[in-house]
């Protein structure tokens, strides 16, 4: 596949810095002393610094996220920690534009999940607003993530190529969605029949003789965490084998400088975005899938930009040859961006990586004290006008924050509320006859914040805010499960694929049990503590259990739930939530946060 220059975008970016560009081009090979690089070290002669700006897991968060999703934790010089409000595309665009100043060689990349699980302002319009925003802020390339498949292969292709939605049509008279100006890369996603990648596997960024190849992959386990219809007919291959394959392809084309965009990530030990990931040694402060991937990706690859876990880190993990290599992630929702310096050698056409130094990378906060990017403000305003009739409708009232993503315990108050809502929507005999409900934690995308997000007033929950919490519009299913199958599902929270990173199901009223985290694997679920409606779980008895269709299909590593029979399809999870809020709260009697005491945690 031939290299793909992005001349138009670069020309627009570099017009204001033409003098800097000319100076850099003239001095790079002839300066008597090597100039200093971004980290203060002397840059080797014959090299040029390329600025790589990156982010990941934006998820359509055009407006500043609400609740805990809208801040980052910052470690201070005295060892204390500070919460800093962050995010919003108006500020992300401004941050990136400011960062590019004085850098004649600058490329912006992302590691997937730009769209999907999006707040209403983007999700209501099938994420067209987010693609427009990414075009506007100058994104050059991204890998696909698992959420790019939420609406299926054909819709992902439309995001790339443009065109109006096949059912909803065009949203504005005289305006047709043009698609992404940047390539979506899906090297490890192939058509099951043809064996060919469904999108470009790689691209080559070029500017004034500098060539950098980008290979994009999503996690191999994508089919396990999205609805089956979204990945029908597709095969997902290993991250390492795919990256190594295309690194060889690029090398044969003479492209020696390579960056992998990987929608898979790790879990840093530090909770602050600026914590030291390399203490006490390189890569010692991170665990999770990306560590093994980084240790096996070919040394031909010079840097790894990662995502999926919504964590922040800038680590140095040695490649298979023992050379240092940067592995980064910029949290999520546009709250951070990473600035990595790639020192490009014009003679070898490769990135300079010695036995001591790898690329220099730092995460920066997208703070909200800076000016807003006017074009992004205009974009948000335009889509707000289209969404307003639906978005601003009050659907309920709360007396305080009800935390989901922001909860610091396995059982989340918002998780209990959502499970109760699904139970309430399906418990009547003619509507499924559910006795209890289960909710996957990954499907809870935000908190319900007490503070008003607009002009609705504190404590008012709007349809847009409820949509942000439950953006998938999964249908609620009710199925028959035996007590033995239900126990197996509870055990799968902490065993099998979920043992390393437990996924604790959120449960409705009527179900209680103890979770002993001092034990390992399935033994963490105390079997004889499980009760339904105050009675011990009977392994032989059949129970009617409500859950979203994703869980009912065995998603998130719960194959026991796929064994359910006698399925009844109820309302969407969003409709169940809004109906529950409306029925159980008023302006004078708002809903209080659930106490989250259904799971007894033993530490």
């Amino acid at each position: 596949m031939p290299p793909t220059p992005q001349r138009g975008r670069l020309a627009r970016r570099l017009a204001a810095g033409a003098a800097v560009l000319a100076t850099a081009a003239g001095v790079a090979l002839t300066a008597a002393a090597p100039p200093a690089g971004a980290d203060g070290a002397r840059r080797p002669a014959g090299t040029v610094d390329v600025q790589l700006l990156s982010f990941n897991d934006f998820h359509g968060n055009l407006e500043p996220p609400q609740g805990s999703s809208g801040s980052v934790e910052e470690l201070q010089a005295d060892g204390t920690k500070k919460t800093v409000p962050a995010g919003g595309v108006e500020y992300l665009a401004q941050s990136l534009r400011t960062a590019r100043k004085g850098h004649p060689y600058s490329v912006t990349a992302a590691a997937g999940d730009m769209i999907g699980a999006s707040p209403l302002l983007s999700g209501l319009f099938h994420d067209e607003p987010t693609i427009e925003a990414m075009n506007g802020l100058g994104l050059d390339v991204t890998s696909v993530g698992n959420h790019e498949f939420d609406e299926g292969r054909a819709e992902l292709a439309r995001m790339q190529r443009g065109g109006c939605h096949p059912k909803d049509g065009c949203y504005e008279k005289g305006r047709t969605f043009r698609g992404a100006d940047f390539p979506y890369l899906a090297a490890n996603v192939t058509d099951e029949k043809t064996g060919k990648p469904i999108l470009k596997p790689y691209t080559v960024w070029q500017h004034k003789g500098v060539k950098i190849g980008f290979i994009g992959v999503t996690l191999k386990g994508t089919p396990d965490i999205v609805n089956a219809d979204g990945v029908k007919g597709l095969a997902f291959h290993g991250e390492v084998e795919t990256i190594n394959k295309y690194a060889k392809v690029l090398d044969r084309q003479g492209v020696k400088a390579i960056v992998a965009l990987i929608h898979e990530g790790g879990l840093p030990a530090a909770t602050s975005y600026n914590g030291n990931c390399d203490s006490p040694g390189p890569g010692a402060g991170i665990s999770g899938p990306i560590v093994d991937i980084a240790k096996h990706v070919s040394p031909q690859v010079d840097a790894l930009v990662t995502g999926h876990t919504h964590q922040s880190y800038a680590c140095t993990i040695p490649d298979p040859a023992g050379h240092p290599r940067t592995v980064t992630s910029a949290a999520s929702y546009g709250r951070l961006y990473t600035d990595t310096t790639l020192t490009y050698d014009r003679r070898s056409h490769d990135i300079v990586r010695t036995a001591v130094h790898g690329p220099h990378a730092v995460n920066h906060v997208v703070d909200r004290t800076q000016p807003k990017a006017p074009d992004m403000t205009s974009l948000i305003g335009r889509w707000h006008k289209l969404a307003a009739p639906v978005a601003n409708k009050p659907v309920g009232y709360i007396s305080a924050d009800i935390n989901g993503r922001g909860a610091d315990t396995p059982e989340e108050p918002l998780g209990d509320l959502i499970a109760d809502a699904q139970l309430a929507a399906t418990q009547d005999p003619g509507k499924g006859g559910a006795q209890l409900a289960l909710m996957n934690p990954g499907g809870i995308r935000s908190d319900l914040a007490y503070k008003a997000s607009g002009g609705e007033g504190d404590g008012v929950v709007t349809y847009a805010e409820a949509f942000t919490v439950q953006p998938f519009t999964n249908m609620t299913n009710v199925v028959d499960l035996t007590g033995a199958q239900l126990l197996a599902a509870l055990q799968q929270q902490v065993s099998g694929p979920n043992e390393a990173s437990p996924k604790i199901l959120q449960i409705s009223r009527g179900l209680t049990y103890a979770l002993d985290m001092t034990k390992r694997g399935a033994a963490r679920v105390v079997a004889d503590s499980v009760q339904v409606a105050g009675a011990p779980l009977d392994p032989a008895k059949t129970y009617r259990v409500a859950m979203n269709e994703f869980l009912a299909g065995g998603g998130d590593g719960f194959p026991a739930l796929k064994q359910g029979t006698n399925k009844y399809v109820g309302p969407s999870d969003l409709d169940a939530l809004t109906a529950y809020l409306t029925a159980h709260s008023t302006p004078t009697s708002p809903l209080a946060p659930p106490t989250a005491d259904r799971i007894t945690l033993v530490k």
Side-chain angles (χ1 to χ4, degrees), residues 204-256:
V204 179
W205 177 87
Q206 298 187 72
H207 182 60
K208 289 193 175 294
V210 173
K211 296 191 296 184
I212 299 178
F214 289 88
I215 302 167
V217 299
T218 186
L219 69 156
K220 182 180 179 180
T222 291
D224 298 327
I225 53 176
V226 300
N227 276 321
D229 287 346
V231 294
K232 187 175 181 179
L234 302 180
F236 291 76
H237 307 280
E239 302 92 344
V240 171
E241 65 188 69
T242 303
I243 294 169
N244 291 350
K245 169 185 173 181
Y246 285 106
K248 292 178 181 177
V249 171
L250 285 166
D251 184 72
R252 288 196 296 268
Q253 294 181 6
V255 179
K256 308 295 183 179

Side-chain angles (χ1 to χ4, degrees), residues 175-510:
R175 188 190 292 263
T176 300
F177 175 59
R178 77 169 191 255
D181 290 346
F182 51 89
Y184 258 114
L185 305 182
N188 67 330
V189 186
T190 60
D191 184 290
E192 285 184 340
K193 293 182 179 178
T194 67
K196 296 180 179 179
I198 63 167
L199 293 170
K200 293 176 65 173
Y202 64 88
T203 191
V204 179
W205 177 87
Q206 298 187 72
H207 182 60
K208 289 193 175 294
V210 173
K211 296 191 296 184
I212 299 178
F214 289 88
I215 302 167
V217 299
T218 186
L219 69 156
K220 182 180 179 180
T222 291
D224 298 327
I225 53 176
V226 300
N227 276 321
D229 287 346
V231 294
K232 187 175 181 179
L234 302 180
F236 291 76
H237 307 280
E239 302 92 344
V240 171
E241 65 188 69
T242 303
I243 294 169
N244 291 350
K245 169 185 173 181
Y246 285 106
K248 292 178 181 177
V249 171
L250 285 166
D251 184 72
R252 288 196 296 268
Q253 294 181 6
V255 179
K256 308 295 183 179
I258 302 172
V259 175
L261 308 175
I262 309 172
H263 192 70
E264 179 60 290
L267 302 170
T271 57
S272 301
Y273 81 88
N274 55 341
N276 187 357
C277 189
D278 291 330
S279 177
I286 189 171
S287 60
I290 199 60
V291 176
D292 189 58
I293 291 171
K295 288 179 178 179
H296 291 89
V297 163
S298 167
Q300 291 175 301
V301 176
D302 299 293
L304 278 58
V305 176
T306 75
H308 187 55
T309 57
H310 292 206
Q311 302 297 308
S312 57
Y313 46 83
C315 301
T316 304
I317 301 178
D319 67 19
H323 296 147
R325 181 165 57 191
T326 297
V327 181
T328 66
S329 175
S332 59
Y333 306 151
R335 294 174 292 166
L336 300 174
Y337 72 91
T338 310
D339 191 335
T340 303
T341 300
L342 304 173
T343 301
Y344 184 88
D345 190 323
R346 289 185 177 277
R347 293 165 297 189
S348 67
H349 308 294
D350 205 349
I351 303 301
V352 176
R353 285 199 295 134
T354 69
V356 179
H357 298 293
H360 180 70
V362 179
N363 277 325
H364 297 279
V365 179
V366 176
D367 70 85
R368 300 182 198 162
T369 61
Q370 64 186 312
K372 298 178 181 180
D375 57 329
M376 295 297 149
T377 302
S378 177
L379 181 148
I380 288 172
R382 202 180 92 237
W383 288 102
H384 253 308
K385 289 180 181 179
L386 294 173
V390 174
N392 298 333
K393 179 183 177 183
V395 296
Y397 305 86
I398 57 177
S399 63
D401 289 349
I402 303 181
N403 287 331
R405 288 264 159 159
D408 56 6
T409 55
E411 183 181 356
E412 304 167 4
L414 186 52
D416 284 359
L417 189 155
I418 291 170
D420 285 349
Q422 293 184 12
L423 175 61
T426 57
Q427 64 184 353
D428 288 351
K431 296 181 178 180
Q435 297 165 272
L436 58 105
L438 307 173
M439 175 63 195
N440 59 308
I444 304 168
R445 306 305 299 185
S446 185
D447 305 325
L448 282 180
Y450 176 79
K451 184 176 176 58
S453 59
E456 74 276 10
D458 291 347
V460 180
V461 180
T462 65
Y463 183 82
E465 291 166 338
F467 187 101
T468 298
V469 170
Q470 292 268 265
F472 299 109
T473 319
N474 277 314
M475 303 310 291
T476 303
N477 290 181
V478 184
V479 297
D480 284 347
L481 288 174
T482 65
Q485 290 169 331
L486 180 57
L487 177 61
L490 295 178
Q491 292 171 333
Q492 285 164 2
Q493 300 174 109
V494 288
S495 63
N498 293 330
E499 182 168 3
S501 182
K503 291 187 175 71
I504 305 303
L505 294 168
Q506 307 301 291
I507 57 178
S508 69
R509 63 181 183 276

Side-chain angles (χ1 to χ4, degrees), residues 435 480-486 532-533 535-544:
Q435 297 165 272
D480 284 347
L481 288 174
T482 65
Q485 290 169 331
L486 180 57
V532 177
L537 184 72
D538 183 345
K541 185 176 178 179
T542 297
Y543 299 88
R544 294 290 285 165

